[in-house]
Coordinates of all heavy atoms in Angstrom, one line a residue:
R1341 N -40.3 64.1 -30.0 CA -41.7 64.2 -30.0 C -42.2 62.6 -30.0 O -41.9 61.8 -30.8 CB -42.2 64.7 -31.4 CG -43.8 64.8 -31.5 CD -44.3 65.5 -32.6 NE -43.5 65.2 -33.9 CZ -42.7 66.1 -34.5 NH1 -42.7 67.3 -34.1 NH2 -42.1 65.7 -35.6
V1349 N -46.5 63.7 -26.9 CA -45.8 64.0 -25.7 C -44.5 64.4 -26.0 O -43.8 63.7 -26.8 CB -45.8 62.8 -24.8 CG1 -45.0 63.0 -23.4 CG2 -47.2 62.3 -24.5
A1363 N -30.6 58.0 -30.5 CA -31.0 59.0 -31.5 C -30.7 58.6 -33.0 O -31.6 59.0 -33.8 CB -30.4 60.3 -31.1
L1368 N -38.7 56.0 -34.9 CA -39.1 54.5 -34.6 C -40.6 54.5 -34.2 O -41.1 55.3 -33.6 CB -38.3 54.0 -33.4 CG -36.9 53.7 -33.4 CD1 -36.3 53.4 -32.1 CD2 -36.6 52.5 -34.4
S1373 N -45.1 46.5 -24.6 CA -45.6 45.5 -23.6 C -45.6 46.1 -22.2 O -44.6 46.7 -21.9 CB -44.9 44.2 -23.8 OG -44.9 43.7 -25.1
G1392 N -19.1 53.9 -21.6 CA -19.1 55.1 -20.7 C -20.5 55.4 -20.0 O -20.8 56.4 -19.5
G1402 N -41.8 58.9 -16.1 CA -41.5 59.7 -17.3 C -40.1 59.4 -17.8 O -39.7 59.9 -18.9
P1409 N -29.2 44.5 -20.3 CA -29.1 43.0 -20.3 C -30.1 42.4 -21.3 O -29.8 41.4 -21.9 CB -29.6 42.6 -18.8 CG -29.1 43.8 -18.1 CD -29.3 45.0 -19.0
G1419 N -42.5 54.7 -10.7 CA -41.1 54.7 -10.3 C -40.8 53.1 -10.2 O -41.6 52.3 -10.0
S1420 N -39.5 52.9 -10.4 CA -39.1 51.5 -10.4 C -38.8 50.9 -8.9 O -39.0 49.8 -8.7 CB -37.8 51.2 -11.2 OG -36.7 51.9 -10.5
G1421 N -38.5 52.0 -8.0 CA -38.3 51.5 -6.6 C -37.0 50.9 -6.3 O -36.6 50.6 -5.2
R1439 N -50.6 58.0 -19.4 CA -51.0 57.5 -20.6 C -50.4 56.3 -21.1 O -50.9 55.4 -21.8 CB -51.0 58.6 -21.7 CG -51.6 58.3 -23.1 CD -51.6 59.4 -24.0 NE -52.1 60.7 -23.5 CZ -53.4 60.9 -23.5 NH1 -54.3 60.1 -23.7 NH2 -53.9 62.2 -22.9

Side-chain angles (χ1 to χ4, degrees):
R1341 179 177 42 248
V1349 177
L1368 287 171
S1373 301
S1420 67
R1439 188 173 306 283

